[in-house]
Amino acid sequence: MSAVIFNGSLSNQKDLIPLQKIMEEELKNIGLVPETYLLHQTDIKSCIGCFKCWDTTPGICTGVKGDIANEIAEKVIQSELLVFLTPLTFGGYSSELKKIIERLLGLLLPGVNLIKGESHHRKRYERYPSLIAIAFTEKEDSGEEALFGLLIDRHSKNFYPPKYKSEIIRDVKNLDSLRAKLKQIINDMELKK
Amino acid sequence: MTKVLLLVGSPRGRISTSTNVGNYILDTIRPNGFETSSLIIRNQLSSEDKISEMVKAIDLADIIILTAPLFDDCQPYIVIKTMEIIFEKKMQLEGKKFIPIMNCGFPEPNQITAVAIPIYRKFAETVGLDWFGSLAIGGGQMFHNMQKDSGKKLDELGKVANLLLEALNQISDALLSNENYQDIELKILPDFWYTRIMKRIVTWMNNIGWKRMVEKKGAQMDAKPYSQ
Ligand SMILES: Cc1cc2nc3c(=O)[nH]c(=O)nc-3n(C[C@H](O)[C@H](O)[C@H](O)COP(=O)(O)O)c2cc1C
C-alpha cells in the first residue's frame, strides 16, 4: 500500500522539509510506502484547460506533453493516501502544489454530479485516496486558516477521499510536538495496516 | 489618462472566456478617456524578461482587471504564481484599484465566491491593492463553447449573454464614475428558472452531451486507464 506526498514549497522555502521527513517516517510506521514529490524540483508543466483528458483521451492528459504528470496521476489513484504540504498562500495552495492538482483533472469524469443541489465533478474510479492537507504559515490570520479548511472541504467534494483532514501548522522547529501532531492526523485517517 | 491593465489569467490564453469578458470592459471604457492594455499571463510567465515586462505593466497601471477561470475551487496555477511574484517583489501597489473577475464551468457562482474571491481579498489586503469590486460568473464555459467556434463577440451572442453583459456594463459604469461597486455574483441560470427539477434536467443533458461528444471522437468517456 502506498501514499503520495506532494511537497508544494517554493524553491526558496525549506520549512516543509522536516514536516515531509516526519510524515514519511510515520507513514512507513503504519506500513505505507510513501512516494514524495518535491514539486519545485519535479518537471511538471501546467494545465492548459483543453479538456483533452476528458473528451479525447479520457483519463489521460494528452494536451500537455513531455513531463511525468500522467505517471503521478496513476500513482495517486493507486494510493491509499494523498498528502498535500504547502505554504499557506493567501489562504490557499502554493503555485507549485496547485500546478499538479490541476493535472489530476482526468482522474474525474466530465459532467456534473449534483450534491445537495450543487454541481460537482463525477467519479471516474471506484475509489480515491484519503487526503491529508497541511499548510504551513508563521502568520496569525484566522481568516486565511479558515479559507484553507474550506478549500479542502470543497476539493474533497470533487475528489471523493474516503477520509480527509486539513491542518494548519505554525511550528516546524519543535520536532517532537510536530511528530505527535502528524501521528494523530495519520491515526485519524483510519488507514488499514 | 487613467491606465487600465487587463491581466488574462486563463491557462487557455487568448481563446477564453476570461479574454472575452476582459476585452468587453476595455472596449467599453476605452472611448471614455481610459488608456487600456492587456497581457496574457500564460505568455508572460514564459521567461524572466516577460515576467519583468508584466511587473512593469502592473507598476504603471492605475487599475488592474484580473480575469481568470476557477480551477479546482480556486485560482489557476498561473494566477497563484503571479500573486506570489507580486508579493515577493514587494511592489508598491497602494492606490491601485483591483478588479478580479472569475468564471467557472458549473452554473453556480458560489463555487467562485466560496474560496477564490476571499483568496483574492487576502491577496489584495496583503499587497496593498484597493478592492474596487469583483465579479463571479457561473457557467462561463458556456460562452467559451459558443464563441470558440463562431468567433462571435459577447455582444453578438444574443439573449443568452444579456445577464453577463449587464454585469460587465455595471463594472464599466463604475469605472467611468470612479465609484466602487458591490461584488457581483452572477447566476447565468436565474433561480426562478434553475429550480430543483431543472437542475436535474440540465445535469442529465450535460452528462449525456459529454458522453455523446466523447463517443463522436471515438473514445469512451468513462474509461479507466489506470488499474486499481
Ligand atoms: C483543471 C480544471 C479545473 C477546473 N475546476 C473547476 C471547478 O472547480 N469548478 C468549476 O465550476 N469549473 C472548473 N473548471 C472549469 C473552468 O472554470 C471553465 O471551463 C471556465 O469557463 C474556463 O474559463 P476560461 O475560458 O476563461 O479559461 C475547471 C477546468 C479545468 C481545466
Side-chain angles (χ1 to χ4, degrees):
Chain A
M1 292 206 308
S2 63
V4 173
I5 301 176
F6 289 150
N7 182 339
S9 56
L10 305 184
S11 55
N12 56 355
Q13 296 168 331
K14 301 272 176 284
D15 305 303
L16 292 173
I17 294 293
L19 233 159
Q20 176 201 311
K21 296 281 176 229
I22 296 175
M23 180 61 85
E24 285 166 350
E25 284 165 19
E26 292 303 325
L27 290 176
K28 278 185 200 151
N29 282 344
I30 62 157
L32 288 186
V33 180
E35 174 129 20
T36 301
Y37 294 94
L38 182 54
L39 294 165
H40 70 78
Q41 287 181 7
T42 311
D43 176 27
I44 298 163
K45 296 182 179 136
S46 60
C47 171
I48 56 168
C50 66
F51 287 154
K52 280 198 177 146
C53 60
W54 275 353
D55 66 18
T56 309
T57 45
I60 298 173
C61 172
T62 45
V64 179
K65 293 196 173 75
D67 67 5
I68 61 162
N70 284 325
E71 199 181 295
I72 296 177
E74 180 168 14
K75 291 213 165 120
V76 167
I77 200 61
Q78 290 172 344
S79 69
E80 295 296 311
L81 176 72
L82 178 60
V83 180
F84 292 168
L85 305 179
T86 180
L88 187 62
T89 307
F90 310 115
Y93 311 120
S94 71
S95 58
E96 291 294 341
L97 175 59
K98 187 63 209 301
K99 189 159 47 156
I100 185 64
I101 293 174
E102 290 173 9
R103 298 292 304 282
L104 301 180
L105 188 72
L107 295 179
L108 304 166
L109 281 187
V112 173
N113 181 17
L114 280 178
I115 303 177
K116 293 191 181 141
E118 194 177 85
S119 310
H120 290 285
H121 292 302
R122 294 189 291 167
K123 284 179 164 187
R124 180 180 297 280
Y125 292 93
E126 278 292 304
R127 192 191 54 77
Y128 288 77
S130 287
L131 174 68
I132 294 176
I134 298 178
F136 168 75
T137 182
E138 283 172 324
K139 241 167 108 180
E140 296 273 349
D141 185 330
S142 56
E144 285 196 13
E145 291 179 20
L147 265 183
F148 188 70
L150 203 56
L151 176 58
I152 298 303
D153 286 344
R154 295 195 66 83
H155 175 88
S156 299
K157 283 188 181 155
N158 285 318
F159 273 87
Y160 303 96
K163 288 235 168 212
Y164 72 93
K165 183 152 179 58
S166 65
E167 187 78 30
I168 304 288
I169 289 198
R170 271 209 196 77
D171 181 6
V172 286
K173 298 218 168 73
N174 184 340
L175 297 183
D176 288 340
S177 79
L178 186 59
R179 185 178 296 277
K181 195 166 222 167
L182 295 188
K183 247 185 170 158
Q184 184 59 52
I185 296 171
I186 294 169
N187 198 34
D188 290 347
M189 289 288 112
E190 296 172 353
L191 297 156
K192 283 172 257 126
K193 282 214 180 189
Chain B
M1 256 213 270
T2 309
K3 292 192 178 71
V4 182
L5 172 65
L6 168 65
L7 291 176
V8 176
S10 170
R12 290 175 176 160
R14 203 173 51 78
I15 315 285
S16 63
T17 299
S18 300
T19 301
N20 294 334
V21 296
N23 279 345
Y24 179 86
I25 296 178
L26 294 194
D27 290 346
T28 323
I29 59 173
R30 198 178 299 113
N32 295 291
F34 286 82
E35 190 183 315
T36 65
S37 60
S38 63
L39 291 174
I40 307 275
I41 292 180
R42 186 176 98 172
N43 303 345
Q44 296 306 129
L45 293 179
S46 62
S47 71
E48 283 305 321
D49 283 355
K50 290 257 179 194
I51 290 175
S52 305
E53 190 182 285
M54 175 164 70
V55 167
K56 200 167 163 204
I58 293 170
D59 212 27
L60 290 173
D62 303 302
I63 297 167
I64 296 154
I65 302 176
L66 172 49
T67 58
L70 186 75
F71 271 21
D72 299 288
D73 295 288
C74 61
Q75 282 72 3
Y77 155 74
I78 56 173
V79 172
I80 301 176
K81 179 88 193 157
T82 304
M83 297 195 299
E84 286 169 348
I85 291 170
I86 291 173
F87 175 71
E88 262 171 35
K89 293 211 180 285
K90 299 190 172 65
M91 296 179 70
Q92 285 303 307
L93 302 171
E94 278 75 18
K96 293 185 196 295
K97 297 187 171 82
F98 182 51
I99 306 178
I101 297 180
M102 202 166 224
N103 86 92
C104 68
F106 295 139
E108 307 91 3
N110 71 295
Q111 306 265 1
I112 298 169
T113 53
V115 176
I117 297 294
I119 284 180
Y120 275 136
R121 272 205 183 263
K122 284 287 168 199
F123 163 70
E125 259 171 49
T126 309
V127 301
L129 286 166
D130 280 355
W131 191 264
F132 194 69
S134 67
L135 168 61
I137 306 165
Q141 173 67 28
M142 183 176 81
F143 298 104
H144 177 74
N145 296 344
M146 287 189 285
Q147 295 187 282
K148 191 177 55 168
D149 300 325
S150 69
K152 284 184 180 168
K153 287 185 152 186
L154 278 180
D155 51 4
E156 294 167 348
L157 290 178
K159 253 178 151 176
V160 282
N162 280 357
L163 288 173
L164 175 58
L165 294 184
E166 232 172 74
L168 297 176
N169 287 335
Q170 198 181 325
I171 297 175
S172 302
D173 290 346
L175 284 169
L176 296 177
S177 60
N178 195 20
E179 279 176 29
N180 295 27
Y181 64 94
Q182 291 268 317
D183 294 330
I184 308 170
E185 204 176 291
L186 178 65
K187 291 181 176 165
I188 292 297
L189 305 175
D191 283 343
F192 74 85
W193 186 85
Y194 197 49
T195 54
R196 271 173 70 153
I197 189 84
M198 283 312 286
K199 268 184 198 170
R200 293 236 174 108
I201 294 171
V202 170
T203 299
W204 180 77
M205 282 170 40
N206 183 305
N207 292 346
I208 294 267
W210 272 105
K211 192 165 189 294
R212 294 218 174 112
M213 199 244 279
V214 179
E215 279 168 3
K216 252 192 197 161
K217 294 189 177 195
Q220 190 195 333
M221 182 189 70
D222 55 1
K224 295 176 179 56
Y226 307 130
S227 60
Q228 282 198 294

